[in-house]
Amino acid sequence: MMRTRPLKVALLGCGVVGSEVARIMTTQAADLAARIGAPVELAGVAVRRPDRVREGIAPELVTTDATALVERGDLDVVVEVIGGIEPARTLITTAFAHGASVVSANKALLAQDGAALHAVAEEHGKDLYYEAAVAGAIPLIRPLRESLAGDKVNRVLGIVNGTTNFILDKMDSTGAGYQEALDEATALGYAEADPTADVEGFDAAAKAAILAGIAFHTRVRLDDVHREGMTEVTAADFASAREMGCTIKLLAICERAADGGSVTARVHPAMIPLTHPLASVRGAYNAVFVESDAAGQLMFYGPGAGGAPTASAVLGDLVAVCRNRLGGTTGPGESAYAALPVSPMGEVVTRYHISLDVADKPGVLAQVATVFAEHGVSIDTVRQQGKDGEASLVVVTHRASDAALGGTVDALRKLDTVRGVASIMRVEGE
């Protein structure tokens, strides 16, 4: 039997995502009520610019006083889609204190202060859901913390930023340079006017922190995630990747150590074989590859951003939280019982592709090979091309630690026959 008294929902933010949330709540009100067991009512919308026309939202619901809105005391759920650290953090904790559960899409805040927010939610007996914080419409958070709760997740490997994937895909498919591909992404609306958060990996790093924390039942903060951007990736790197049967993606990688005693989380460009499922992810789409003991290999794929896709994830959380509200219960909270240490990047072991500019004369290869051997880095393949006294030497290693590779490169730079290190890129997905 459906309850007639509506559940009251407040919306913090009414931009691209927030306006879609409000639209779906309005146009699909009957379906949402049937799925929840009670109608949902949009009780207020907090915005910064009240003079803008917001189609489908009654003007009397719009306010610039977000604090007063979350302090009302009669709200069941607060949906936060304003982003950033403050005032979002204070508004969320205030909402908990005044009796509301929270649905958020705020990856930056959750990556930085997720543990504290979960603690406040638990203190007040409220829900904190955030499916929309990672990979847009793709169901990922809930499968990790619910569907795979009985399994042991060992690795999460994914493309979690659509802007960077669009740029790299364009460079790969057309031969465009980085700036040319970025300009096209900006013109099409995939890249912001300031794309730094995307192209330097900050956005993906926040998502990696959230995924690692859930997958490994360990608190992983943004500061724990090693981050490298993709602005130095060149057309020559793609040419080298193609020669190896690979392409290049900006990846978020969260791994449990082989002995199970620690975890790592990192974001950086990497070569992956064309045979890997992630290699075929094109345009602005996202995909995440999960490896676990019992389930094996799983892949989640779909649009990772945009108003409607992200709103889909928000509404999914809203339905779940409203159902919990009606049942007088809460869903899963933070699970950090494992408390595994986060290893530094220097201990991460992977393969490497190193391109060197060297003198084209006898003995160079032997010198380079000696340096690799002295630092305990085993060489898999070597390719050398030379002309007019200069040569390009491409070395692909077996698996080695980041620290060992770093020492190797430092030593190579000291050789008189090495003119420079053209590029270094990790090889993943094997």
Side-chain angles (χ1 to χ4, degrees):
M1 182 176 178
M2 182 179 295
R3 193 182 80 167
T4 56
R5 184 172 65 82
L7 293 161
K8 294 188 176 182
V9 178
L11 183 59
L12 305 182
C14 198
V16 173
V17 176
S19 60
E20 280 295 308
V21 171
R23 181 188 66 79
I24 295 171
M25 284 184 63
T26 302
T27 60
Q28 299 184 21
D31 285 340
L32 289 172
R35 294 166 194 164
I36 292 168
V40 288
E41 172 191 326
L42 187 59
V45 181
V47 300
R48 285 183 295 179
R49 296 185 293 273
D51 52 331
R52 287 180 53 186
V53 176
R54 293 174 172 84
E55 186 177 349
I57 299 176
E60 61 269 20
L61 294 180
V62 178
T63 178
T64 58
D65 193 343
T67 300
L69 180 59
V70 298
E71 287 180 344
R72 281 178 37 165
D74 64 339
L75 299 175
D76 293 287
V77 186
V78 169
V79 175
E80 183 271 311
V81 287
I82 56 176
I85 305 302
E86 288 292 356
R89 174 170 49 197
T90 298
L91 292 171
I92 288 173
T93 56
T94 302
F96 288 140
H98 286 79
S101 289
V102 173
V103 172
S104 176
N106 196 330
K107 54 187 171 287
L109 178 58
L110 289 159
Q112 178 173 305
D113 289 323
L117 293 177
H118 274 294
V120 178
E122 183 177 3
E123 176 188 352
H124 294 285
K126 299 296 178 287
D127 274 322
L128 173 61
Y129 275 48
Y130 42 91
E131 183 68 64
V134 179
I138 304 172
L140 186 59
I141 300 298
R142 194 172 291 115
L144 278 175
R145 72 176 186 176
E146 296 182 33
S147 303
L148 295 174
D151 205 344
K152 179 184 178 185
V153 176
N154 297 309
R155 195 175 198 221
V156 180
L157 173 76
I159 299 164
V160 295
N161 183 278
T163 300
T164 55
N165 198 58
F166 178 89
I167 293 170
L168 292 173
D169 182 41
K170 186 61 63 173
M171 292 175 69
D172 187 21
S173 61
T174 69
Y178 166 76
Q179 189 61 50
E180 183 183 352
L182 172 60
D183 290 344
E184 182 172 350
T186 304
L188 292 172
Y190 291 126
E192 301 287 345
D194 180 0
T196 302
D198 294 325
V199 300
E200 293 296 350
F202 291 101
D203 175 85
K207 296 169 182 176
I210 295 170
L211 291 174
I214 296 171
F216 307 133
H217 304 279
T218 291
R219 287 177 179 169
V220 179
R221 289 171 50 90
L222 181 58
D223 293 344
D224 296 320
V225 181
H226 174 82
R227 176 195 55 79
E228 298 172 26
M230 48 160 278
T231 57
E232 301 301 318
V233 176
T234 65
D237 291 325
F238 275 101
S240 294
R242 282 191 290 273
E243 290 178 358
M244 290 180 58
C246 292
T247 188
I248 299 171
K249 300 292 186 181
L250 185 75
L251 297 178
I253 305 170
C254 312
E255 293 180 306
R256 188 190 300 268
D259 63 4
S262 64
V263 300
T264 59
R266 51 197 165 100
V267 168
H268 53 72
M271 295 182 180
I272 59 172
L274 293 174
T275 53
H276 194 281
L278 291 179
S280 61
V281 178
R282 310 301 297 270
Y285 274 68
N286 285 191
V288 178
F289 203 70
V290 178
E291 301 174 10
S292 67
D293 276 0
Q297 297 179 332
L298 306 170
M299 183 166 163
F300 301 83
Y301 169 83
T310 305
S312 171
V314 171
L315 267 296
D317 278 350
L318 178 63
V319 169
V321 170
C322 286
R323 287 172 175 169
N324 292 342
R325 192 82 171 186
L326 288 178
T329 186
T330 56
E334 183 191 31
S335 176
Y337 73 90
L340 297 172
V342 181
S343 296
M345 187 63 188
E347 297 179 13
V348 170
V349 175
T350 189
R351 297 179 67 205
Y352 290 88
H353 176 283
I354 305 103
S355 180
L356 304 172
D357 295 326
V358 299
D360 186 15
K361 63 182 183 180
V364 174
L365 180 56
Q367 284 185 321
V368 169
T370 298
V371 170
F372 276 88
E374 288 174 347
H375 289 81
V377 179
S378 176
I379 294 176
D380 182 16
T381 62
V382 177
R383 185 176 71 256
Q384 184 174 0
Q385 293 178 324
K387 185 179 180 181
D388 299 329
E390 298 296 327
S392 173
L393 189 65
V394 175
V395 178
V396 179
T397 73
H398 288 290
R399 291 174 65 82
S401 72
D402 191 77
L405 196 282
T408 303
V409 172
D410 288 343
L412 287 171
R413 288 193 169 104
K414 296 176 182 178
L415 294 177
D416 292 339
T417 51
V418 175
R419 309 294 193 224
V421 179
S423 69
I424 303 171
M425 192 165 296
R426 297 172 183 85
V427 182
E428 300 285 350
E430 296 182 298

